[in-house]
Amino acid sequence: QEGMPQTLSSTSMFTPCGFSPHLHTSKEGEQGGLIFQDGNLTSASLDALIQHLIPTTDYYPEKAYIFTFLLSSRLFIEPHELLSRVCHKCIEQQRLDDPVLDKARIRKFGPKILQLLTEWTETFPYDFQEERMIGHLKDMIHRIAPCDEAYWKKMNQLLQALNQKLATLSHGQEGIVKISTAVSDKLVAFKTKPPSIQREILSVCSDPYTLAQQLTHVELERLSHIGPEEFVQAFVHKDPLDGTKTCFSEQKKTSNLEAYVKWFNRLCYLVATEICMPAKKKQRAQVIEFFIDVARECFNIGNFNSLMAIISGMNMSPVSRLKKTWSKVKTAKFFILEHQMDPTGNFYNYRTALRGAAHRSLTAHSNREKIVIPFFSLLIKDIYFLNEGCANRLPNGHVNFEKFLELAKQVGEFITWKQVECPFEQDPNIIHYLHTAPIFTEDGLYLASYESESPENQTEKDRWKSLR
């Protein structure tokens, strides 16, 4: 590692090549309450894991360990309580309560504790929306700063960077909330075909390549707000060793993750709406072909989330039942894409394409080649199964650290991807349309579909009747 007290950028922490899930030690067996197997940390008591996080004058935890433990510890202990325990142990071990401080010793320890706090604030900024967290930071600096003026400056930089990050994040969240409410209030529930003043996608953007780029903009913007901890917090259960309360009793802190899933659903419905809206078969076929091209561009860019949303929109029953419309479409390209996203073999084809994109991203020379936007609900499902598949604690009460290394690997890779800057120029007009264009409800889609091509069997006739 680079010498202290220089700060490592948060990105270097996760690049899959740099993320080594193996925390090495020369000894097998037990070491300070940590259990190792083949040189890898596999389990330990929560206390031993907390101790392992705490720097001393001549020890600093491995980067992979810090990320893994900060990510998973919230299943057992709230962040403010963890930070409080870290600070108390530092005070005790470095004798920061002594009336006369051992300056030489603290000069060795100071940069390391500041480094740890910096990594924590950079990677999990949402933890610091709590006053208590900031209180612990300030208390620590007050204790070590008398030994070295530079610590004040370092701490100020840390707090400034944190404030900036939180401001950006909350600004982004407000924007998303504003758009979501505006949309759900005014526009969503078309029960019948609206008057023709309705703009359609092709009048806003007729170039598939441009639309794929703008979709990628929206995806990366929304991804950037998701904190890594949201993946873990989505599955917070009661900790069996703490019968009193769930860890996050106030609220599930997963709002960005949920907003992102809503965006996926909106895009599905937008695609279906755009296809069912035109009165003429020829126009509907044209819209389908346009979206097939957009989907293909998304695939080439590495934007698998928009790709999947577009395919899902085209596969919704109100769209797929339009036989006469589909007969006018050159479907070969569509089948290729569908094959890529085919769920058989646990999405084998998609996973192969994703690994290819991830590999390209690692060796990329430009931001354009770095883009990897995974099919998000599958990523959540994978993490969910990993979480459900093995226990957080072993029968002896130890934390099952092996499980959390695997979790950190999956979430760490995602963090690398979400930090890519979008290389495409933003087109506010198209992005506004994507967020605010009216979309049909499911009933509205069926109605529009039956008006375009009348019901073919009794089930459809009955449904049409009940809808009207």
Side-chain angles (χ1 to χ4, degrees), residues 201-202 208 271-272 274-276 278 280-296 310-311 313-316 318-331 333-334 337 453:
I201 188 75
L202 287 169
V271 168
E274 295 285 348
I275 294 171
C276 292
K280 293 192 175 67
K281 183 168 60 195
K282 191 177 150 190
Q283 285 171 299
R284 289 194 299 273
Q286 194 189 353
V287 177
I288 290 177
E289 291 194 328
F290 173 71
F291 275 120
I292 292 171
D293 289 338
V294 174
R296 199 167 67 164
I310 293 170
I311 291 175
M314 290 182 167
N315 280 332
M316 286 170 89
V319 178
S320 61
R321 67 169 290 281
L322 298 170
K323 305 273 188 306
K324 294 173 187 150
T325 303
W326 280 95
S327 71
K328 295 246 171 287
V329 173
K330 301 192 217 38
T331 47
K333 282 192 283 190
F334 181 61
L337 288 171
E453 296 186 19

Side-chain angles (χ1 to χ4, degrees), residues 139-381:
D139 176 54
M140 184 47 72
I141 193 66
H142 277 289
R143 289 170 186 276
I144 61 172
C147 298
D148 193 332
E149 280 296 300
Y151 295 165
W152 288 116
K153 193 175 158 202
K154 192 93 177 78
M155 185 55 109
N156 272 328
Q157 287 170 339
L158 180 153
L159 288 170
Q160 265 176 329
L162 178 65
N163 282 331
Q164 209 171 350
K165 198 155 193 178
L166 285 172
T168 316
L169 291 168
S170 72
H171 176 73
Q173 277 174 308
E174 281 160 26
I176 284 173
V177 170
K178 266 200 206 94
I179 282 175
S180 311
T181 50
V183 169
S184 56
D185 291 352
K186 286 204 285 285
L187 308 162
V188 173
F190 277 145
K191 280 287 180 275
T192 56
K193 279 202 176 180
S196 56
I197 51 161
Q198 157 73 6
R199 281 204 303 177
E200 79 292 305
I201 188 75
L202 287 169
S203 69
V204 181
C205 174
S206 57
D207 174 37
Y209 191 63
T210 306
L211 188 61
Q213 291 184 342
Q214 296 309 307
L215 285 167
T216 304
H217 241 294
V218 175
E219 299 280 354
L220 285 171
E221 160 74 18
R222 285 176 171 251
L223 279 183
S224 70
H225 296 130
I226 299 173
E229 70 283 358
E230 294 191 40
F231 290 102
V232 175
Q233 275 152 201
F235 311 122
V236 170
H237 299 304
K238 264 201 156 110
D239 184 354
L241 291 192
D242 178 16
T244 51
K245 59 184 180 16
T246 49
C247 283
F248 284 88
S249 34
E250 327 97 80
Q251 100 222 66
K252 283 276 179 74
K253 303 179 168 141
T254 53
S255 53
N256 299 296
L257 196 138
E258 288 161 31
Y260 190 48
V261 172
K262 278 195 186 121
W263 150 253
F264 178 90
N265 293 335
R266 171 170 169 82
L267 184 53
C268 291
Y269 273 88
L270 181 65
V271 168
T273 300
E274 295 285 348
I275 294 171
C276 292
M277 192 99 74
K280 293 192 175 67
K281 183 168 60 195
K282 191 177 150 190
Q283 285 171 299
R284 289 194 299 273
Q286 194 189 353
V287 177
I288 290 177
E289 291 194 328
F290 173 71
F291 275 120
I292 292 171
D293 289 338
V294 174
R296 199 167 67 164
E297 290 304 340
C298 287
F299 181 84
N300 294 338
I301 288 171
N303 176 359
F304 298 105
N305 203 50
S306 293
L307 165 65
M308 198 57 171
I310 293 170
I311 291 175
S312 306
M314 290 182 167
N315 280 332
M316 286 170 89
S317 315
V319 178
S320 61
R321 67 169 290 281
L322 298 170
K323 305 273 188 306
K324 294 173 187 150
T325 303
W326 280 95
S327 71
K328 295 246 171 287
V329 173
K330 301 192 217 38
T331 47
K333 282 192 283 190
F334 181 61
F335 294 138
I336 291 170
L337 288 171
E338 232 184 356
H339 178 67
Q340 281 294 348
M341 301 312 267
D342 181 3
T344 39
N346 190 11
F347 288 92
Y348 179 81
N349 297 344
Y350 157 69
R351 289 179 192 279
T352 308
L354 180 69
R355 292 267 62 84
H359 186 73
R360 171 187 74 184
S361 178
L362 277 181
T363 55
H365 298 298
S366 66
N367 273 348
R368 172 77 180 70
E369 295 166 11
K370 276 187 193 153
I371 298 171
V372 184
I373 300 169
F375 170 30
F376 193 65
S377 51
L378 188 61
L379 178 73
I380 292 179
K381 204 163 118 186

Side-chain angles (χ1 to χ4, degrees), residues 23-44:
L23 302 166
H24 302 290
T25 170
S26 48
K27 285 194 289 212
E28 294 305 314
E30 191 168 343
Q31 202 189 325
L34 306 170
I35 308 294
F36 289 88
Q37 216 178 343
D38 300 331
N40 301 325
L41 175 57
T42 53
S43 74

